[in-house]
Amino acid sequence: MVMIGASILSANYGHMAEEVRRAEEAKVDFFHVDIMDGHFVPNLSMGLKVPEYLQDITHGTKIDVHLMVENPDIFIPKIAEASDMVSFHAEATKFLFRTVDLIADNGAKPIVALNPSTSISNIEYVLENLYGVLIMTVEPGFSGQSFINPMLKKIDKLKNLILTEGYDTKIFVDGGINTTTAPKVVEAGADALIAASAIYGKDDVVKAVQDLRASANFKI
Amino acid sequence: MVMIGASILSANYGHMAEEVRRAEEAKVDFFHVDIMDGHFVPNLSMGLKVPEYLQDITHGTKIDVHLMVENPDIFIPKIAEASDMVSFHAEATKFLFRTVDLIADNGAKPIVALNPSTSISNIEYVLENLYGVLIMTVEPGFSGQSFINPMLKKIDKLKNLILTEGYDTKIFVDGGINTTTAPKVVEAGADALIAASAIYGKDDVVKAVQDLRASANFKI
Amino acid sequence: MVMIGASILSANYGHMAEEVRRAEEAKVDFFHVDIMDGHFVPNLSMGLKVPEYLQDITHGTKIDVHLMVENPDIFIPKIAEASDMVSFHAEATKFLFRTVDLIADNGAKPIVALNPSTSISNIEYVLENLYGVLIMTVEPGFSGQSFINPMLKKIDKLKNLILTEGYDTKIFVDGGINTTTAPKVVEAGADALIAASAIYGKDDVVKAVQDLRASANFKI
Amino acid sequence: MVMIGASILSANYGHMAEEVRRAEEAKVDFFHVDIMDGHFVPNLSMGLKVPEYLQDITHGTKIDVHLMVENPDIFIPKIAEASDMVSFHAEATKFLFRTVDLIADNGAKPIVALNPSTSISNIEYVLENLYGVLIMTVEPGFSGQSFINPMLKKIDKLKNLILTEGYDTKIFVDGGINTTTAPKVVEAGADALIAASAIYGKDDVVKAVQDLRASANFKI
Amino acid sequence: MVMIGASILSANYGHMAEEVRRAEEAKVDFFHVDIMDGHFVPNLSMGLKVPEYLQDITHGTKIDVHLMVENPDIFIPKIAEASDMVSFHAEATKFLFRTVDLIADNGAKPIVALNPSTSISNIEYVLENLYGVLIMTVEPGFSGQSFINPMLKKIDKLKNLILTEGYDTKIFVDGGINTTTAPKVVEAGADALIAASAIYGKDDVVKAVQDLRASANFKI
Amino acid sequence: MVMIGASILSANYGHMAEEVRRAEEAKVDFFHVDIMDGHFVPNLSMGLKVPEYLQDITHGTKIDVHLMVENPDIFIPKIAEASDMVSFHAEATKFLFRTVDLIADNGAKPIVALNPSTSISNIEYVLENLYGVLIMTVEPGFSGQSFINPMLKKIDKLKNLILTEGYDTKIFVDGGINTTTAPKVVEAGADALIAASAIYGKDDVVKAVQDLRASANFKI
């Protein structure tokens, strides 16, 4: 069963507790928090305290933080304590084993994110130590972009590598996910889908999540 | 009459519309938004969309954005459109006249912020083009720090320079402001005080603002 | 038929219009402009206005700009408008799809350049969106260096990948190209050759281009 | 007698030898070459070989290079050998004495350039070792900007410091220089004026230089 | 026969000549010097003069310098003159061929070091020009860490590539080497082992080296 | 009485315990340790463990560490614990109050170092919180350079400021100190002199220190 994560990047900032309640009613599997530093990506989204705030207003739904920042090690201890899963970018550090250990040592599950053009050869050796790989299917930094098609080949290639090696690493996919792209990425091998505007951009959040889940579990 | 700004850095994130309402009831003169990039300062606070969100949930109270970021010019066009005042750090750019013009051209009033140790000789020539100077009285990056006493000398020196030259640039002060430090900085020459925990850290926000205002207007 | 590009890096700066005329008489397929920023490579060659100037003094010959710069996105809008093809380095950005789109959106054909040691796994997914790949056969930054022999294997490997996938991406080769190396790189799979000193370093530019073209089209 | 320098930033690239001839006919005192790296300033203008090329096509007129680059020490040995005067920015290095010595050791006269907002306290100790100070009267990076008025105070203050200390350091001024601003900066203390569009932007270069010279030597 | 290198990172600083004597008595094949810059790795270990000092106090034992620094080219000329082998990191430069040539031109044997997660595709083309590859089996920067197991796969894969291509490049291994891990890395293909605490952390240095050598040459 | 510090930058690395003994016999007031990172200055000298090692081999002589590094805050906790005084550069941080507090909180006395061209206006406000100011009288990075004469004016100006304000901050001087320059800097206001080659570059270290001390205490 494919997991669905709601990215609060598209949620209403003035009434966050209510936005969280709507997504929990829709039974999303996790909340996804995009933290950007204006350096790794050319945008600044939200701050380090968001996971902590979310803990206060959620009711057991898991929290997944995506660090789109340079020097992620500086921020991980604080972030990992308040989150269930933490992803950082392979392009943001030369020491992937160290950062993976830092996340795990602070109590969260480690995920490595890859930009669209980045080869999976960059995670070849660390793969078995990961809870997940986050395949970006748009360039990170902004919501509302279109799905990049060659990413289906990449998801497929990664899935094969994971199965061949016998790892239990999960594949997360983020970017341009909607009811059209969801079945394709699941077919290619995705285990979890993250959506922003396809959930919070809709009037009826519960129905939006149901539609997405239905499309994701549809066999092509 | 000294202006009072409420820094939302200490506000409750889950219920921001309500937090804004309380401060407006207390008749704060402006909301202060601290945007940090994890590079200029070792913290990441909130994102570029916050001024826009605030516009939706405020009722005419002015919005003042403090950019604690490197390369502020990248973010200013978006920020200045949704704000009344924008400050950037003298330590973050080599081209102060260009950044000041960029803020003004995008419709906001330009303010230059100075770290505690930074000499006012750095703004000697651009001073007459500024709406204000923001004197940091703690090292920027975190709320809840203690007021740095030698800053009183700096405020005094800047006030004298402004008066001597006949400019109408205003002095804003941020960091460790409470009912004890407020009268001292006003005595030294401050025109506007920014407070975070001294407002949102109190149970009764209305009373907190009244107390701060009273202390600020008390003649020593 | 292999294309020949004349790199103006070795042309006479005082009389550029005349230098352009000589190469057009020799019927080069395109002019190649190397823009360096002293950061991506340890040299500063020529400025952003060169493509525009070239448009004024050429007579229909295509213009190909090679950006050996960090942060190419800053310069691409201006450059792409005055050029036919623009290449940037895979080593200079983490967001290859974004930069490729930026070039295309500004009206030029996108090419990705690779330093000699860079693996083609870095362009595996973006390859189908490219007009060309520029294989550097010397370390970028200076003219007059010797061809790096292991690059023949790389050209061959890339050609096989392009043919296998059925893409129509072209292979450009730059560095140490002369009548000795030209037939080898064409044999390995090159579609376009760029030469600086092998053209403008010769007394008779027309003959130099003819010789290069003859060697390139010679079947080994 | 005030010196006039012609900045080739506004000259016609295709016919540089001819552009040089016109300015020499107008008896400019020196050619001014702006080298930008796209990092210190957000523009890339021309390359390191330009001073050398200019030596070939000038007839004894002095060459003055303005390095608007980070890490100027990397480029100075090559540049200083082909120039008479070399300026670097106080904002681009922490080691002004070292860079000044490097220029002198390579045979050129050292000048320190200051951005408009930069205080002259930054050159207080190195001043006596300098041939000149280059006061930027627009933000560096682009031609055609308007003169920044508070710079007159800065030129005046620097002139007083030089006279008081008995140094023979010269004041160069660059940015927005034309027949209107020239007399003001000379009145304030300038010894040399640099003009780009006010010379090469005019149809009659000889008359443009004569007009500028006349305005500069006019007593207010 | 596997080579053993003694890393002086764990030696007694106050009595270095004596420490060197003990290791030479134990007949180590080379001394290994880790130079860190606090930027490539988050530690600062020892300076550029160490190889030179070692030359004075050694008696013919080879010196191998491991540059864990950004911009290695700046330091290589000085270092290579006083060393037999010099390694730099593939992650620290975009121009591997240039740095390899720089080491060789200054009289030392070039080695490229790879962080644990770095793919060997990054050295695919330069491999034949190398004296060795240094596989880091812990994240670089600190001694006393545990061997990262997936590195055995990497050593094995690299060995196969070297054998298939018929190169004579040697495999060096550094990180967590002791009598338990030594036989495994040798089995996987290592030609040289570097040890710090497993040699200088023991009371009897001679015995420590003998034990290590015995374990390394033991056939599994 | 002027204090004399022996910089171990010129000591014999192979026999450090003996070098320390000689200087202690000469009754130097403190040992001075120059730590460079190859980024703040273009040299790498010695590592973070040196103060700790010195503690083992000294007999009560104070240890003074001079951090010529970027981002000094990363290294200060470790360094300050093993030292008596720690200096960092005003040019290396934007947050002088924070770094000064960090040194004091970790048990050492805080000193701010200034490059030769740096104005004392940069330490105007933090001055009263400092144990000392370290005036560099050569550009930092290498031993054996000549004293920069305009530094006498700077020492004099700083001394006057300290006396006028009634602070007890001490003035340390480092660079080109010998029996000729020592009396001049003491006359200008220095409280402590640091020497490298003038101590360890002499055959008789005890006599070298005595000569230096005598010259320093000689009234001009």
Side-chain angles (χ1 to χ4, degrees):
Chain A
M1 182 89 156
V2 175
M3 292 185 291
I4 305 285
S7 169
I8 61 167
L9 195 56
S10 301
N12 184 329
Y13 169 87
H15 306 274
M16 196 54 82
E18 172 58 17
E19 291 289 75
V20 158
R21 200 194 53 71
R22 289 163 69 201
E24 289 196 314
E25 196 184 315
K27 297 199 167 28
V28 297
D29 296 288
F30 58 91
F31 285 102
H32 184 77
V33 180
D34 287 311
I35 296 183
M36 307 173 185
D37 69 351
H39 284 74
F40 183 79
V41 287
N43 197 6
L44 274 162
S45 53
M46 47 191 94
L48 298 178
K49 283 193 181 162
V50 171
E52 214 177 288
Y53 286 136
L54 274 185
Q55 282 187 320
D56 287 349
I57 56 180
T58 49
H59 307 82
T61 309
K62 288 190 168 11
I63 298 170
D64 171 41
V65 178
H66 179 190
L67 291 172
M68 283 176 265
V69 304
E70 295 179 355
N71 310 316
D73 292 11
I74 301 175
F75 308 115
I76 282 174
K78 185 183 175 69
I79 286 291
E81 271 175 42
S83 309
D84 297 279
M85 301 166 274
V86 176
S87 59
F88 66 95
H89 272 264
E91 304 87 2
T93 175
K94 307 179 290 279
F95 306 117
L96 278 76
F97 281 94
R98 181 176 292 157
T99 304
V100 162
D101 286 353
L102 190 63
I103 293 171
D105 290 350
N106 281 281
K109 298 197 167 88
I111 301 176
V112 173
L114 298 179
N115 283 346
S117 60
T118 304
S119 167
I120 59 177
S121 68
N122 291 286
I123 51 168
E124 192 176 349
Y125 300 107
V126 82
L127 188 57
E128 64 182 282
N129 293 10
L130 300 182
Y131 175 71
V133 177
L134 173 54
I135 300 290
M136 291 303 302
T137 44
V138 299
E139 294 287 15
F142 301 94
S143 60
Q145 301 178 76
S146 301
F147 185 86
I148 295 174
N149 273 310
M151 293 303 94
L152 293 173
K153 261 191 298 189
K154 187 169 168 181
I155 296 167
D156 185 67
K157 191 170 177 178
L158 177 59
K159 190 68 174 190
N160 283 335
L161 176 61
I162 289 170
L163 292 174
T164 306
E165 296 286 338
Y167 302 150
D168 57 359
T169 314
K170 292 182 191 335
I171 300 179
F172 288 67
V173 176
D174 184 12
I177 295 299
N178 53 38
T179 52
T180 306
T181 55
K184 296 181 193 169
V185 300
V186 173
E187 171 76 10
D191 300 298
L193 308 183
I194 294 155
S197 48
I199 293 179
Y200 280 119
K202 305 288 183 182
D203 289 335
D204 186 341
V205 163
V206 174
K207 184 169 181 307
V209 174
Q210 285 171 342
D211 289 352
L212 203 56
R213 198 180 290 280
S215 74
N217 289 315
F218 181 81
K219 293 295 167 208
I220 300 181
Chain B
M1 180 88 156
V2 174
M3 292 184 291
I4 304 285
S7 169
I8 62 167
L9 196 56
S10 300
N12 183 328
Y13 169 86
H15 306 274
M16 196 53 83
E18 172 58 16
E19 291 290 74
V20 157
R21 201 195 53 71
R22 288 164 69 202
E24 289 197 314
E25 195 184 317
K27 296 198 167 33
V28 296
D29 296 289
F30 59 91
F31 285 103
H32 184 76
V33 179
D34 287 311
I35 296 182
M36 306 173 185
D37 69 352
H39 284 74
F40 182 80
V41 288
N43 196 6
L44 273 162
S45 53
M46 47 191 95
L48 298 179
K49 283 194 181 161
V50 170
E52 215 178 288
Y53 286 135
L54 274 184
Q55 281 187 320
D56 287 349
I57 56 180
T58 49
H59 306 82
T61 309
K62 287 190 168 17
I63 298 171
D64 171 41
V65 178
H66 179 190
L67 290 172
M68 283 176 265
V69 304
E70 295 179 355
N71 310 318
D73 292 12
I74 301 175
F75 308 115
I76 282 174
K78 184 182 174 69
I79 286 291
E81 270 176 40
S83 310
D84 297 279
M85 300 166 275
V86 176
S87 60
F88 66 95
H89 272 265
E91 303 87 3
T93 175
K94 307 179 290 279
F95 306 116
L96 279 78
F97 281 95
R98 181 176 292 158
T99 304
V100 163
D101 287 353
L102 191 63
I103 293 171
D105 291 350
N106 282 280
K109 297 195 168 92
I111 300 176
V112 172
L114 299 179
N115 284 346
S117 60
T118 304
S119 166
I120 60 176
S121 68
N122 291 285
I123 51 167
E124 192 177 349
Y125 301 107
V126 82
L127 188 56
E128 63 182 283
N129 293 10
L130 300 182
Y131 175 71
V133 177
L134 173 53
I135 300 290
M136 291 304 301
T137 45
V138 299
E139 293 287 15
F142 301 94
S143 60
Q145 300 179 77
S146 300
F147 186 86
I148 294 174
N149 272 311
M151 293 302 96
L152 293 174
K153 259 190 300 188
K154 188 168 166 181
I155 296 167
D156 185 67
K157 190 170 177 180
L158 177 59
K159 190 68 174 192
N160 282 335
L161 176 61
I162 289 170
L163 292 175
T164 306
E165 296 286 337
Y167 302 151
D168 57 358
T169 314
K170 292 183 192 334
I171 300 180
F172 288 68
V173 176
D174 184 10
I177 295 299
N178 53 36
T179 53
T180 306
T181 55
K184 295 180 193 169
V185 300
V186 172
E187 172 77 11
D191 300 298
L193 308 183
I194 294 155
S197 49
I199 293 179
Y200 281 118
K202 305 288 183 181
D203 290 334
D204 185 340
V205 162
V206 174
K207 184 171 180 307
V209 172
Q210 284 170 343
D211 288 354
L212 202 55
R213 198 182 290 281
S215 75
N217 290 316
F218 182 80
K219 293 295 167 210
I220 300 181
Chain C
M1 181 89 155
V2 174
M3 290 185 292
I4 304 285
S7 169
I8 61 167
L9 195 56
S10 300
N12 183 329
Y13 169 87
H15 306 274
M16 196 54 82
E18 172 58 16
E19 291 289 75
V20 158
R21 201 195 53 71
R22 289 164 68 201
E24 290 196 314
E25 195 184 317
K27 297 200 170 23
V28 296
D29 297 288
F30 58 91
F31 285 103
H32 183 78
V33 180
D34 287 310
I35 296 183
M36 307 173 185
D37 69 352
H39 285 73
F40 182 80
V41 287
N43 196 5
L44 274 160
S45 52
M46 46 191 94
L48 299 179
K49 283 193 181 162
V50 170
E52 213 177 290
Y53 286 135
L54 274 184
Q55 282 188 320
D56 287 349
I57 57 180
T58 49
H59 306 82
T61 309
K62 287 191 169 11
I63 298 171
D64 171 41
V65 178
H66 179 190
L67 291 171
M68 283 176 266
V69 303
E70 295 179 356
N71 311 316
D73 292 12
I74 300 174
F75 308 115
I76 282 173
K78 186 184 175 68
I79 286 290
E81 270 175 41
S83 309
D84 297 279
M85 301 166 274
V86 176
S87 60
F88 67 95
H89 272 264
E91 303 87 4
T93 175
K94 308 180 288 279
F95 306 117
L96 279 76
F97 281 94
R98 180 176 292 158
T99 305
V100 163
D101 287 353
L102 190 63
I103 293 171
D105 291 350
N106 282 281
K109 297 197 168 91
I111 301 175
V112 173
L114 299 178
N115 284 346
S117 61
T118 305
S119 167
I120 59 176
S121 68
N122 291 285
I123 50 167
E124 193 177 348
Y125 301 107
V126 82
L127 189 56
E128 64 182 281
N129 293 10
L130 300 181
Y131 175 71
V133 177
L134 173 53
I135 300 290
M136 292 303 301
T137 45
V138 299
E139 294 287 15
F142 302 94
S143 61
Q145 301 178 77
S146 300
F147 186 86
I148 295 174
N149 273 311
M151 293 303 95
L152 293 174
K153 261 191 296 187
K154 187 169 168 180
I155 296 166
D156 185 66
K157 191 171 178 179
L158 176 60
K159 190 68 175 190
N160 282 335
L161 176 61
I162 289 170
L163 292 174
T164 306
E165 296 286 339
Y167 302 150
D168 56 359
T169 314
K170 292 184 191 334
I171 300 179
F172 289 68
V173 176
D174 184 11
I177 295 299
N178 53 37
T179 52
T180 307
T181 55
K184 296 181 192 169
V185 300
V186 172
E187 171 76 10
D191 300 298
L193 308 183
I194 294 155
S197 48
I199 294 179
Y200 280 119
K202 304 289 183 180
D203 289 336
D204 186 341
V205 162
V206 174
K207 184 170 180 307
V209 173
Q210 284 170 341
D211 288 352
L212 201 56
R213 198 182 289 281
S215 74
N217 290 315
F218 182 80
K219 293 297 165 208
I220 300 181
Chain D
M1 180 89 156
V2 175
M3 290 185 291
I4 305 285
S7 169
I8 62 166
L9 195 57
S10 300
N12 184 329
Y13 170 86
H15 305 275
M16 196 54 81
E18 172 59 15
E19 291 290 74
V20 158
R21 200 195 53 70
R22 289 164 69 200
E24 290 196 313
E25 194 184 317
K27 296 197 168 31
V28 297
D29 297 288
F30 58 92
F31 285 102
H32 183 76
V33 180
D34 287 310
I35 296 183
M36 307 173 186
D37 69 352
H39 286 74
F40 182 80
V41 287
N43 197 6
L44 274 162
S45 52
M46 48 191 95
L48 298 178
K49 283 193 182 162
V50 170
E52 213 177 289
Y53 286 135
L54 274 184
Q55 283 187 319
D56 286 349
I57 57 180
T58 50
H59 306 82
T61 308
K62 287 189 170 15
I63 297 171
D64 171 41
V65 178
H66 179 191
L67 291 172
M68 285 176 264
V69 303
E70 295 178 356
N71 311 315
D73 292 12
I74 301 175
F75 308 115
I76 282 173
K78 185 183 174 70
I79 286 290
E81 269 175 43
S83 309
D84 297 279
M85 301 166 274
V86 176
S87 60
F88 66 94
H89 272 264
E91 304 87 3
T93 174
K94 308 179 289 280
F95 306 116
L96 278 77
F97 281 94
R98 181 177 292 157
T99 305
V100 163
D101 286 354
L102 191 63
I103 293 170
D105 290 350
N106 281 281
K109 298 196 168 88
I111 300 176
V112 173
L114 299 179
N115 284 346
S117 61
T118 305
S119 167
I120 60 178
S121 67
N122 291 286
I123 51 167
E124 194 177 348
Y125 301 107
V126 81
L127 188 57
E128 64 182 281
N129 292 10
L130 301 181
Y131 175 71
V133 177
L134 173 53
I135 301 290
M136 291 302 301
T137 44
V138 298
E139 295 287 14
F142 302 94
S143 61
Q145 300 178 77
S146 300
F147 186 86
I148 295 174
N149 272 310
M151 293 303 95
L152 292 174
K153 263 191 296 189
K154 187 170 169 180
I155 296 167
D156 185 67
K157 192 171 176 178
L158 177 59
K159 190 68 175 191
N160 283 335
L161 176 61
I162 290 170
L163 292 174
T164 306
E165 297 286 339
Y167 301 150
D168 58 359
T169 314
K170 292 183 191 337
I171 300 179
F172 288 68
V173 176
D174 185 11
I177 296 299
N178 54 38
T179 53
T180 306
T181 55
K184 296 180 192 170
V185 300
V186 172
E187 172 77 10
D191 300 298
L193 308 183
I194 293 155
S197 48
I199 294 179
Y200 280 119
K202 305 288 183 181
D203 289 335
D204 185 341
V205 162
V206 175
K207 183 170 182 306
V209 174
Q210 284 170 342
D211 289 352
L212 202 55
R213 198 181 290 280
S215 74
N217 289 315
F218 181 80
K219 293 296 166 206
I220 300 181
Chain E
M1 181 88 156
V2 174
M3 291 184 291
I4 304 285
S7 169
I8 62 166
L9 195 57
S10 300
N12 184 330
Y13 169 86
H15 305 275
M16 196 53 82
E18 172 58 16
E19 291 288 75
V20 158
R21 200 195 52 70
R22 290 163 68 201
E24 289 196 315
E25 195 184 317
K27 297 199 169 26
V28 297
D29 297 287
F30 58 91
F31 285 103
H32 184 77
V33 180
D34 288 310
I35 296 183
M36 306 173 185
D37 69 352
H39 285 74
F40 182 80
V41 288
N43 197 5
L44 274 161
S45 52
M46 47 190 94
L48 298 179
K49 283 193 181 163
V50 170
E52 215 177 288
Y53 286 136
L54 274 184
Q55 282 187 321
D56 286 349
I57 57 181
T58 50
H59 306 82
T61 309
K62 288 190 169 13
I63 298 171
D64 171 42
V65 178
H66 180 190
L67 290 172
M68 284 176 262
V69 304
E70 295 179 355
N71 310 316
D73 292 12
I74 301 174
F75 308 116
I76 282 173
K78 184 181 174 70
I79 286 291
E81 270 175 43
S83 309
D84 297 279
M85 300 166 275
V86 176
S87 61
F88 66 95
H89 272 265
E91 303 86 4
T93 175
K94 308 179 289 279
F95 306 116
L96 279 76
F97 281 94
R98 180 176 293 158
T99 305
V100 163
D101 286 353
L102 190 62
I103 294 171
D105 290 350
N106 283 281
K109 297 198 170 90
I111 300 176
V112 173
L114 298 179
N115 284 345
S117 61
T118 303
S119 167
I120 59 177
S121 68
N122 291 285
I123 51 167
E124 192 177 349
Y125 300 107
V126 81
L127 188 56
E128 65 182 281
N129 292 10
L130 301 181
Y131 175 71
V133 177
L134 173 53
I135 300 290
M136 291 303 302
T137 45
V138 299
E139 293 287 15
F142 302 95
S143 61
Q145 302 178 75
S146 301
F147 185 86
I148 295 174
N149 273 311
M151 293 302 96
L152 293 174
K153 260 189 299 187
K154 187 169 165 181
I155 297 166
D156 184 67
K157 191 170 178 179
L158 177 59
K159 190 67 174 190
N160 282 335
L161 176 62
I162 290 169
L163 292 175
T164 307
E165 297 285 340
Y167 302 150
D168 58 358
T169 315
K170 292 183 192 333
I171 300 179
F172 288 68
V173 177
D174 184 10
I177 296 298
N178 53 36
T179 52
T180 307
T181 55
K184 296 181 193 169
V185 301
V186 173
E187 171 76 9
D191 301 297
L193 308 183
I194 294 154
S197 48
I199 293 179
Y200 280 119
K202 306 287 184 184
D203 289 336
D204 186 340
V205 162
V206 174
K207 184 171 183 305
V209 173
Q210 285 170 341
D211 289 352
L212 202 57
R213 198 182 289 282
S215 74
N217 290 315
F218 182 80
K219 295 295 166 209
I220 299 182
Chain F
M1 181 92 155
V2 174
M3 292 185 290
I4 304 285
S7 168
I8 62 168
L9 195 56
S10 300
N12 184 330
Y13 169 86
H15 306 275
M16 196 54 82
E18 172 58 16
E19 291 289 74
V20 158
R21 200 195 52 72
R22 290 163 69 201
E24 289 196 314
E25 195 184 316
K27 297 196 167 29
V28 297
D29 297 287
F30 58 92
F31 285 103
H32 183 78
V33 180
D34 287 311
I35 296 183
M36 306 174 186
D37 69 352
H39 285 74
F40 182 79
V41 288
N43 196 5
L44 274 160
S45 52
M46 47 191 95
L48 298 178
K49 284 192 181 162
V50 170
E52 215 177 287
Y53 286 134
L54 274 184
Q55 281 186 321
D56 286 350
I57 56 181
T58 50
H59 306 82
T61 309
K62 288 189 167 16
I63 298 171
D64 171 41
V65 178
H66 180 190
L67 290 172
M68 283 177 264
V69 304
E70 295 179 356
N71 311 317
D73 292 12
I74 301 174
F75 308 115
I76 282 173
K78 186 183 173 68
I79 286 291
E81 270 174 42
S83 309
D84 297 280
M85 300 166 276
V86 176
S87 60
F88 67 95
H89 271 265
E91 303 86 4
T93 174
K94 307 179 290 280
F95 306 116
L96 279 78
F97 281 94
R98 180 176 292 156
T99 305
V100 163
D101 286 353
L102 190 64
I103 293 171
D105 291 349
N106 282 281
K109 297 197 169 89
I111 300 175
V112 173
L114 299 178
N115 283 346
S117 61
T118 304
S119 168
I120 59 176
S121 67
N122 291 286
I123 51 167
E124 192 176 350
Y125 301 107
V126 82
L127 188 56
E128 64 181 282
N129 293 10
L130 300 182
Y131 176 71
V133 177
L134 173 53
I135 300 289
M136 292 302 302
T137 45
V138 299
E139 294 287 15
F142 302 94
S143 62
Q145 301 179 75
S146 300
F147 185 86
I148 295 174
N149 273 311
M151 293 302 96
L152 293 174
K153 261 190 298 188
K154 187 170 168 181
I155 297 167
D156 185 67
K157 190 171 178 179
L158 176 59
K159 190 67 174 190
N160 282 335
L161 175 62
I162 290 170
L163 291 174
T164 306
E165 296 287 339
Y167 302 151
D168 57 359
T169 314
K170 293 186 191 332
I171 300 179
F172 288 67
V173 176
D174 184 11
I177 296 299
N178 53 37
T179 52
T180 306
T181 55
K184 295 180 192 169
V185 300
V186 172
E187 171 77 10
D191 300 297
L193 308 183
I194 293 155
S197 47
I199 293 179
Y200 280 118
K202 306 288 183 182
D203 289 334
D204 185 340
V205 162
V206 174
K207 184 169 182 306
V209 173
Q210 285 170 341
D211 288 352
L212 202 55
R213 197 181 291 280
S215 75
N217 290 315
F218 182 80
K219 294 296 168 208
I220 299 181

